Amino acid sequence: MPQPKEPGLLIVISGPSGVGKDTILRRLFQLAPELKYSVSYTTRPPRPGEVDGQSYTFVTEDEFKRLIETKEFLEWAQVYDQYYGTSRKRVEDALARGEDIILKIDVQGAAFVKKRKPDALFIFITPPSTDELLQRLTGRNTESPAALERRQREALVELGLAKDYEHVVCNRDVEESAREILAMIAAEHERRRQRA
Ligand code: 5GP
């Protein structure tokens, strides 16, 4: 008889802007292509190279508000004056299929998910130092000076919230960080198997 499939694991990854979340995730998906990524909705305009439906689903503010009303979101938040939200259906469908799915969301969104899905795995990524974070944000050069200053200020506030996460990964090295996250996921699966 086929065994009933274990439900998938919901993995929430947060960390300040510029900490290297996207680079780590790219490596993580190379190492573990079976992991799924929850593509969020956003009202932010696409950056060069971002593909609609892959990086984000890009929508207008009106569309986003309609999605709030139709209860499409597991969580949503306003970050840097733009709206970002996680599709409840995309997440629930993946979990029901037994797939592990990763959400890359800000700390407000993560706090919401914690209330609705307390058994998710919450991981916060920190930089090796605050100086390095500020430098990385400046070097990225994708924002106007005012937006950059704001991202820097908010990144520092966000960094202070690492203490609310049970798992913290310090991004000294992309390869090491990706492998650390993989080990955390494997350990969580093991914990669940033992509890079952
Ligand atoms: P960016 O504009 O640099 O892609 O993302 C800005 C911030 O929004 C990042 O901290 C990112 O994790 C967060 N973010 C992206 N998608 C979502 C989402 O669906 N929900 C929430 N709450 N935050 C998100």
mmCIF file of all heavy atoms in Angstrom, residues 80 134 137-154:
data_model
loop_
_atom_site.group_PDB
_atom_site.id
_atom_site.type_symbol
_atom_site.label_atom_id
_atom_site.label_comp_id
_atom_site.label_asym_id
_atom_site.label_seq_id
_atom_site.Cartn_x
_atom_site.Cartn_y
_atom_site.Cartn_z
ATOM 1 N N TYR A 80 8.403 49.461 2.195
ATOM 2 C CA TYR A 80 8.921 50.576 1.372
ATOM 3 C C TYR A 80 7.851 51.139 0.434
ATOM 4 O O TYR A 80 8.068 51.269 -0.776
ATOM 5 C CB TYR A 80 10.117 50.134 0.518
ATOM 6 C CG TYR A 80 11.158 49.342 1.246
ATOM 7 C CD1 TYR A 80 11.462 48.035 0.879
ATOM 8 C CD2 TYR A 80 11.855 49.903 2.323
ATOM 9 C CE1 TYR A 80 12.424 47.308 1.552
ATOM 10 C CE2 TYR A 80 12.806 49.171 2.997
ATOM 11 C CZ TYR A 80 13.090 47.874 2.610
ATOM 12 O OH TYR A 80 14.035 47.143 3.265
ATOM 13 N N LEU A 134 25.426 47.836 5.033
ATOM 14 C CA LEU A 134 25.210 49.179 4.476
ATOM 15 C C LEU A 134 25.973 49.330 3.162
ATOM 16 O O LEU A 134 25.477 49.909 2.199
ATOM 17 C CB LEU A 134 25.624 50.256 5.493
ATOM 18 C CG LEU A 134 24.781 50.248 6.771
ATOM 19 C CD1 LEU A 134 25.261 51.317 7.753
ATOM 20 C CD2 LEU A 134 23.293 50.467 6.470
ATOM 21 N N LEU A 137 24.150 47.491 0.355
ATOM 22 C CA LEU A 137 22.963 48.211 -0.097
ATOM 23 C C LEU A 137 23.354 49.351 -1.022
ATOM 24 O O LEU A 137 22.705 49.605 -2.029
ATOM 25 C CB LEU A 137 22.203 48.766 1.113
ATOM 26 C CG LEU A 137 21.199 47.834 1.742
ATOM 27 C CD1 LEU A 137 20.629 48.435 3.004
ATOM 28 C CD2 LEU A 137 20.069 47.538 0.765
ATOM 29 N N THR A 138 24.441 50.048 -0.692
ATOM 30 C CA THR A 138 24.898 51.175 -1.507
ATOM 31 C C THR A 138 25.383 50.664 -2.859
ATOM 32 O O THR A 138 25.073 51.240 -3.897
ATOM 33 C CB THR A 138 26.070 51.905 -0.800
ATOM 34 O OG1 THR A 138 25.718 52.055 0.566
ATOM 35 C CG2 THR A 138 26.335 53.256 -1.415
ATOM 36 N N GLY A 139 26.116 49.545 -2.829
ATOM 37 C CA GLY A 139 26.699 49.010 -4.049
ATOM 38 C C GLY A 139 25.671 48.486 -5.028
ATOM 39 O O GLY A 139 25.923 48.398 -6.214
ATOM 40 N N ARG A 140 24.479 48.146 -4.531
ATOM 41 C CA ARG A 140 23.490 47.520 -5.403
ATOM 42 C C ARG A 140 22.966 48.494 -6.461
ATOM 43 O O ARG A 140 22.648 48.106 -7.582
ATOM 44 C CB ARG A 140 22.335 46.982 -4.548
ATOM 45 C CG ARG A 140 21.433 46.093 -5.321
ATOM 46 C CD ARG A 140 20.727 45.114 -4.436
ATOM 47 N NE ARG A 140 19.616 45.755 -3.757
ATOM 48 C CZ ARG A 140 18.760 45.076 -3.002
ATOM 49 N NH1 ARG A 140 18.895 43.804 -2.809
ATOM 50 N NH2 ARG A 140 17.771 45.706 -2.414
ATOM 51 N N ASN A 141 22.857 49.792 -6.061
ATOM 52 C CA ASN A 141 22.567 50.845 -7.020
ATOM 53 C C ASN A 141 21.293 50.638 -7.845
ATOM 54 O O ASN A 141 21.258 50.952 -9.032
ATOM 55 C CB ASN A 141 23.777 50.958 -7.984
ATOM 56 C CG ASN A 141 23.901 52.383 -8.483
ATOM 57 O OD1 ASN A 141 23.254 53.274 -7.943
ATOM 58 N ND2 ASN A 141 24.700 52.585 -9.517
ATOM 59 N N THR A 142 20.270 50.083 -7.235
ATOM 60 C CA THR A 142 19.027 49.894 -7.993
ATOM 61 C C THR A 142 17.971 50.904 -7.524
ATOM 62 O O THR A 142 16.870 50.919 -8.033
ATOM 63 C CB THR A 142 18.456 48.465 -7.802
ATOM 64 O OG1 THR A 142 18.410 48.159 -6.413
ATOM 65 C CG2 THR A 142 19.288 47.434 -8.526
ATOM 66 N N GLU A 143 18.331 51.727 -6.540
ATOM 67 C CA GLU A 143 17.342 52.627 -5.951
ATOM 68 C C GLU A 143 17.763 54.093 -6.098
ATOM 69 O O GLU A 143 18.942 54.391 -6.277
ATOM 70 C CB GLU A 143 17.215 52.334 -4.460
ATOM 71 C CG GLU A 143 15.994 51.544 -4.078
ATOM 72 C CD GLU A 143 16.091 50.072 -4.436
ATOM 73 O OE1 GLU A 143 17.182 49.492 -4.369
ATOM 74 O OE2 GLU A 143 15.067 49.510 -4.806
ATOM 75 N N SER A 144 16.793 55.001 -5.966
ATOM 76 C CA SER A 144 17.121 56.427 -5.927
ATOM 77 C C SER A 144 17.799 56.708 -4.580
ATOM 78 O O SER A 144 17.652 55.920 -3.643
ATOM 79 C CB SER A 144 15.839 57.243 -6.033
ATOM 80 O OG SER A 144 15.081 57.061 -4.848
ATOM 81 N N PRO A 145 18.550 57.854 -4.439
ATOM 82 C CA PRO A 145 19.227 58.117 -3.160
ATOM 83 C C PRO A 145 18.267 58.126 -1.968
ATOM 84 O O PRO A 145 18.583 57.569 -0.914
ATOM 85 C CB PRO A 145 19.848 59.502 -3.373
ATOM 86 C CG PRO A 145 19.994 59.632 -4.854
ATOM 87 C CD PRO A 145 18.889 58.831 -5.474
ATOM 88 N N ALA A 146 17.063 58.699 -2.148
ATOM 89 C CA ALA A 146 16.119 58.751 -1.015
ATOM 90 C C ALA A 146 15.656 57.336 -0.650
ATOM 91 O O ALA A 146 15.595 56.977 0.527
ATOM 92 C CB ALA A 146 14.924 59.620 -1.373
ATOM 93 N N ALA A 147 15.354 56.543 -1.683
ATOM 94 C CA ALA A 147 14.885 55.167 -1.426
ATOM 95 C C ALA A 147 15.998 54.354 -0.780
ATOM 96 O O ALA A 147 15.751 53.540 0.112
ATOM 97 C CB ALA A 147 14.437 54.522 -2.727
ATOM 98 N N LEU A 148 17.222 54.605 -1.211
ATOM 99 C CA LEU A 148 18.363 53.868 -0.649
ATOM 100 C C LEU A 148 18.523 54.189 0.832
ATOM 101 O O LEU A 148 18.702 53.297 1.661
ATOM 102 C CB LEU A 148 19.642 54.231 -1.422
ATOM 103 C CG LEU A 148 20.929 53.636 -0.854
ATOM 104 C CD1 LEU A 148 20.906 52.115 -0.934
ATOM 105 C CD2 LEU A 148 22.152 54.155 -1.615
ATOM 106 N N GLU A 149 18.433 55.497 1.153
ATOM 107 C CA GLU A 149 18.598 55.903 2.551
ATOM 108 C C GLU A 149 17.531 55.215 3.416
ATOM 109 O O GLU A 149 17.803 54.735 4.507
ATOM 110 C CB GLU A 149 18.470 57.416 2.638
ATOM 111 C CG GLU A 149 19.066 57.967 3.918
ATOM 112 C CD GLU A 149 18.779 59.436 4.047
ATOM 113 O OE1 GLU A 149 19.101 60.189 3.094
ATOM 114 O OE2 GLU A 149 18.213 59.828 5.093
ATOM 115 N N ARG A 150 16.326 55.173 2.886
ATOM 116 C CA ARG A 150 15.231 54.556 3.617
ATOM 117 C C ARG A 150 15.479 53.062 3.807
ATOM 118 O O ARG A 150 15.263 52.519 4.887
ATOM 119 C CB ARG A 150 13.950 54.798 2.815
ATOM 120 C CG ARG A 150 12.775 54.177 3.435
ATOM 121 C CD ARG A 150 11.556 55.001 3.236
ATOM 122 N NE ARG A 150 10.482 54.352 3.938
ATOM 123 C CZ ARG A 150 9.289 54.180 3.429
ATOM 124 N NH1 ARG A 150 8.998 54.645 2.247
ATOM 125 N NH2 ARG A 150 8.372 53.570 4.141
ATOM 126 N N ARG A 151 15.922 52.397 2.745
ATOM 127 C CA ARG A 151 16.215 50.956 2.841
ATOM 128 C C ARG A 151 17.302 50.709 3.880
ATOM 129 O O ARG A 151 17.250 49.741 4.616
ATOM 130 C CB ARG A 151 16.659 50.391 1.485
ATOM 131 C CG ARG A 151 15.493 50.017 0.627
ATOM 132 C CD ARG A 151 15.888 49.241 -0.600
ATOM 133 N NE ARG A 151 14.681 48.954 -1.369
ATOM 134 C CZ ARG A 151 14.205 47.740 -1.630
ATOM 135 N NH1 ARG A 151 14.847 46.677 -1.243
ATOM 136 N NH2 ARG A 151 13.089 47.579 -2.298
ATOM 137 N N GLN A 152 18.303 51.610 3.916
ATOM 138 C CA GLN A 152 19.386 51.439 4.897
ATOM 139 C C GLN A 152 18.840 51.572 6.313
ATOM 140 O O GLN A 152 19.144 50.762 7.180
ATOM 141 C CB GLN A 152 20.483 52.475 4.655
ATOM 142 C CG GLN A 152 21.275 52.186 3.390
ATOM 143 C CD GLN A 152 22.415 53.159 3.161
ATOM 144 O OE1 GLN A 152 22.334 54.321 3.563
ATOM 145 N NE2 GLN A 152 23.459 52.701 2.500
ATOM 146 N N ARG A 153 18.013 52.603 6.522
ATOM 147 C CA ARG A 153 17.457 52.835 7.860
ATOM 148 C C ARG A 153 16.605 51.631 8.279
ATOM 149 O O ARG A 153 16.734 51.099 9.374
ATOM 150 C CB ARG A 153 16.589 54.092 7.823
ATOM 151 C CG ARG A 153 16.755 54.935 9.063
ATOM 152 C CD ARG A 153 15.969 56.238 9.003
ATOM 153 N NE ARG A 153 15.895 56.899 7.727
ATOM 154 C CZ ARG A 153 14.770 57.141 7.028
ATOM 155 N NH1 ARG A 153 13.609 56.749 7.491
ATOM 156 N NH2 ARG A 153 14.792 57.774 5.874
ATOM 157 N N GLU A 154 15.754 51.189 7.361
ATOM 158 C CA GLU A 154 14.842 50.102 7.714
ATOM 159 C C GLU A 154 15.578 48.758 7.849
ATOM 160 O O GLU A 154 15.178 47.915 8.631
ATOM 161 C CB GLU A 154 13.687 50.034 6.716
ATOM 162 C CG GLU A 154 12.848 51.284 6.865
ATOM 163 C CD GLU A 154 11.571 51.304 6.059
ATOM 164 O OE1 GLU A 154 11.185 50.266 5.511
ATOM 165 O OE2 GLU A 154 10.953 52.385 5.994
#
